[in-house]
C-alpha cells in the first residue's frame, strides 16, 4: 500500500507550462466572469438579487458536484480490491511510484475502451476505467493509461477545468433566463434592450470561455502523457495503449460513441460518433500523431525505454 504523505507534492514531473496556462486561464476566466456579472447587473438592475443568487448557487454546485455528476453520467461504479484485484494492484504501484494518496477506483460498464479521472483534489479523486479498456490492454499499457489519468489529479488540472467550464454553463443559463422569463414582453425600453443584449453577451462569453478551456484541455493531455511516461519510464507502453484505443474506437457502435462523446474532456482518448463530427474540429485532445511524436521524443531521451 502507498504510504501516507505529509506533503502535497507528488513525484510526477512538474510542468511549468501547464501551471502557467492554468493560472492564465483562471485569470482570464475570472476577469470574464466579473465583466459578465457586471453587465447583467447593469442590464437587469431590478433583478440583481436573483442574478447574484443564481451565479453563486451555480458556482457552488459546479465546483462541488460537477465531478460526481460526470462520474455518474459515465457510469462509474466504485469497486473494492476483492472485486478488481489487478486494477487495484496497478493503481497501488502508480501511487507508490508517484508518492501520492490512492484515489477511489471505479469501473464503468462500457465497451468503449477508455479511462478518466475526476475530483477537486487528491482527497476526492476517483480514477475509472471501462470494461472495454480492461479487455483490450496489456498490464503495462493499462499502467500507462492509469498513470496518465492520475497525473491530472496530481497536477490539479481536473479542478481547474471544472472551475473554468463554469462560466460557459452560467452563460447558457442566463441566456435561457433572459429568453424565457418574459422580460421581452415588458414595455420598458431598458428591459426590452436587456432581452436583446443578454443573449448576445452570453453567447460571446460562452465562445471565449469555450476556446480558453479547449486550448488548456489540449495542452493538459500532452502534459499528462509526458508526466506518465517519465513516471513509469515506459513511454512505449503508453504509445501502444494510445494506438490501440484510437484504433478500437472505429469498431465501437455509433450509439455507444454518442453516449461517450459529451464527456470527451474527461476521457483518456476522445470518442467521436462520426468522422465528420464537429468535435474533431474543436477537440479537447491533441491529435494522435502529436501525442505519439511526443512519446517518441521522450523514449529517445530515456534511452529507448
Amino acid at each position: 500500500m502507498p504510504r501516507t504523505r505529509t506533503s502535497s507534492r507528488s513525484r510526477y514531473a512538474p510542468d511549468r507550462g501547464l501551471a502557467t496556462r492554468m493560472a492564465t486561464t483562471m485569470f482570464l476566466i475570472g476577469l470574464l466572469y466579473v465583466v459578465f456579472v457586471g453587465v447583467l447587473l447593469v442590464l437587469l438592475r431590478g433583478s440583481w438579487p436573483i442574478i447574484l443568487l443564481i451565479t453563486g448557487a451555480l458556482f457552488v454546485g459546479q465546483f462541488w458536484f460537477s465531478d460526481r455528476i460526470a462520474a455518474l453520467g459515465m457510469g462509474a461504479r466504485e469497486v473494492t480490491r476483492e472485486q478488481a484485484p489487478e486494477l487495484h494492484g496497478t493503481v497501488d504501484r502508480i501511487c507508490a511510484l508517484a508518492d501520492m494518496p490512492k484515489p477511489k477506483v471505479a469501473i464503468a460498464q462500457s465497451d468503449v475502451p477508455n479511462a478518466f479521472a475526476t475530483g477537486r483534489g487528491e482527497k476526492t479523486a476517483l480514477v475509472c476505467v471501462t470494461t472495454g479498456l480492461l479487455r483490450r490492454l496489456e498490464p503495462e499499457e493499462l499502467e500507462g493509461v492509469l498513470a496518465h489519468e492520475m497525473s491530472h489529479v496530481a497536477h490539479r488540472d481536473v479542478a481547474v477545468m471544472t472551475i473554468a467550464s463554469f462560466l460557459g454553463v452560467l452563460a447558457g443559463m442566463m441566456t435561457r433566463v433572459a429568453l424565457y422569463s418574459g422580460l421581452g414582453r415588458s414595455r420598458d425600453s431598458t428591459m426590452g434592450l436587456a432581452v436583446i443584449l443578454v443573449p448576445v453577451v452570453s453567447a460571446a462569453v460562452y465562445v471565449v470561455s469555450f476556446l480558453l478551456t479547449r486550448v488548456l484541455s489540449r495542452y493538459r493531455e500532452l502534459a499528462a502523457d509526458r508526466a506518465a511516461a517519465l513516471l513509469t519510464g515506459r513511454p512505449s507502453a503508453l504509445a501502444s495503449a494510445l494506438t490501440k484505443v484510437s484504433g478500437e474506437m472505429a469498431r465501437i457502435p455509433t450509439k455507444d460513441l454518442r453516449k461517450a462523446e459529451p464527456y470527451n474532456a474527461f476521457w483518456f482518448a476522445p470518442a467521436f460518433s462520426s468522422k465528420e463530427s464537429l468535435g474533431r474540429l474543436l477537440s479537447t485532445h491533441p491529435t494522435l500523431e502529436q501525442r505519439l511524436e511526443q512519446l517518441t521524443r521522450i523514449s529517445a531521451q530515456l534511452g529507448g525505454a
Side-chain angles (χ1 to χ4, degrees), residues 79-103:
V79 292
T80 64
R81 182 179 297 276
E82 290 71 26
Q83 292 171 316
E86 294 181 2
L87 178 59
H88 270 269
T90 302
V91 173
D92 284 340
R93 287 195 299 275
I94 296 170
C95 289
L97 281 174
D99 191 21
M100 63 184 292
K102 185 177 180 178

Side-chain angles (χ1 to χ4, degrees), residues 50-238:
I50 297 176
I51 293 172
L52 292 180
L53 180 63
I54 290 176
T55 55
L58 281 175
F59 180 80
V60 172
Q62 177 80 355
F63 183 74
W64 287 100
F65 302 114
S66 62
D67 55 342
R68 299 179 218 176
I69 293 172
L72 288 174
M74 290 184 279
R77 297 293 181 269
E78 192 172 351
V79 292
T80 64
R81 182 179 297 276
E82 290 71 26
Q83 292 171 316
E86 294 181 2
L87 178 59
H88 270 269
T90 302
V91 173
D92 284 340
R93 287 195 299 275
I94 296 170
C95 289
L97 281 174
D99 191 21
M100 63 184 292
K102 185 177 180 178
K104 298 175 184 177
V105 179
I107 293 177
Q109 295 293 325
S110 172
D111 195 42
V112 179
N114 234 319
F116 68 88
T118 64
R120 300 181 306 279
E122 293 179 344
K123 293 182 179 180
T124 60
L126 175 145
V127 62
C128 177
V129 298
T130 65
T131 51
L133 188 78
L134 291 175
R135 284 197 300 270
R136 290 173 172 89
L137 296 191
E138 298 298 325
E140 63 274 12
E141 295 170 338
L142 179 62
E143 182 178 75
V145 171
L146 289 171
H148 167 106
E149 293 303 328
M150 290 171 63
S151 78
H152 287 312
V153 177
H155 288 154
R156 300 185 183 279
D157 56 76
V158 172
V160 171
M161 285 295 293
T162 297
I163 298 172
S165 64
F166 162 70
L167 192 56
V169 175
L170 175 63
M173 177 76 175
M174 295 311 298
T175 299
R176 287 190 289 273
V177 169
L179 290 175
Y180 299 115
S181 65
L183 292 177
R185 293 191 293 270
S186 173
R187 294 182 180 179
D188 184 277
S189 60
T190 302
M191 298 307 288
L193 179 64
V195 80
I196 296 173
L197 292 181
V198 167
V200 173
V201 173
S202 297
V205 167
Y206 176 79
V207 170
V208 173
S209 63
F210 178 87
L211 293 176
L212 285 173
T213 54
R214 283 302 181 271
V215 171
L216 174 60
S217 181
R218 287 193 287 270
Y219 186 88
R220 82 183 186 116
E221 293 300 331
L222 287 173
D225 285 346
R226 183 164 51 247
L230 293 173
L231 181 74
T232 62
R234 289 199 292 262
S236 59
L238 182 55

Side-chain angles (χ1 to χ4, degrees), residues 249-295:
M249 286 294 182
R251 299 182 176 89
I252 302 300
T254 300
K255 64 176 183 178
D256 293 335
L257 291 176
R258 284 176 179 166
K259 291 180 182 178
E261 196 168 3
Y263 300 101
N264 272 346
F266 291 92
W267 292 121
F268 167 68
F272 296 110
S273 57
S274 70
K275 292 182 179 180
E276 294 77 24
S277 174
L278 182 62
R280 290 187 180 276
L281 299 177
L282 302 173
S283 180
T284 54
H285 292 61
T287 64
L288 175 63
E289 290 73 20
Q290 288 175 309
R291 299 175 77 175
L292 293 179
E293 286 175 7
Q294 176 181 247
L295 292 171

